[in-house]
Amino acid sequence: MPLLKRARIEVYLPERNDISYSRLQQVIEKEFLATFGGCTVIRNIKGLYVGSNDEPATDQIDLVYADTPFKLDGNLQAVLDYINQLQAAAIEASQEESILVVVHEIYHSL
């Protein structure tokens, strides 16, 4: 079976009881659907991190990710520009210090 090399873009969103967070997630889902033809959402993941006050913190997060139809090789700058815009919009729409956006290479089998 041949393997196809692709880029995966992941957005980690904190779960909050705030309509703006639900809307933000819906916007990202629709963006991935329109841009890449679909996405996957994994809800209620436990996130652990050290907060800005150097204290351990826990968040419930949702992961929204999409696999691009192209390789990361040769498209790195376009992907970087895309995720920077996505991250900036997510931070602006939320009240978070940061929103984690991850890009990595994956392989699909046919």
Side-chain angles (χ1 to χ4, degrees):
M1 256 186 234
L3 291 176
L4 297 176
K5 192 176 185 180
R6 300 287 184 246
R8 175 171 288 172
I9 300 173
E10 301 174 344
V11 181
Y12 292 79
L13 297 168
E15 290 181 7
R16 301 282 189 257
N17 289 328
D18 184 328
I19 192 70
S20 64
Y21 282 80
S22 296
R23 287 185 185 141
L24 172 59
Q25 183 168 329
Q26 290 172 1
V27 166
I28 291 172
E29 291 170 9
K30 288 178 182 177
E31 167 64 21
F32 282 173
L33 180 62
T35 304
F36 304 117
C39 67
T40 300
V41 179
I42 303 174
R43 298 189 186 281
N44 201 25
I45 302 170
K46 181 179 180 180
L48 303 167
Y49 62 95
V50 176
S52 58
N53 61 357
D54 292 330
E55 294 293 322
T58 302
D59 262 339
Q60 292 307 113
I61 56 175
D62 292 338
L63 170 60
V64 182
Y65 70 87
D67 296 343
T68 68
F70 50 80
K71 295 179 182 181
L72 192 54
D73 299 339
N75 295 297
L76 187 58
Q77 189 60 52
V79 171
L80 181 59
D81 293 344
Y82 180 80
I83 65 166
N84 284 340
Q85 291 173 4
L86 185 67
Q87 186 178 44
I91 290 171
E92 185 177 323
S94 69
Q95 297 176 15
E96 299 300 316
E97 293 176 18
S98 66
I99 298 285
L100 179 61
V101 178
V102 176
V103 176
H104 53 93
E105 291 180 332
I106 59 156
Y107 294 86
H108 285 211
S109 66
L110 294 177

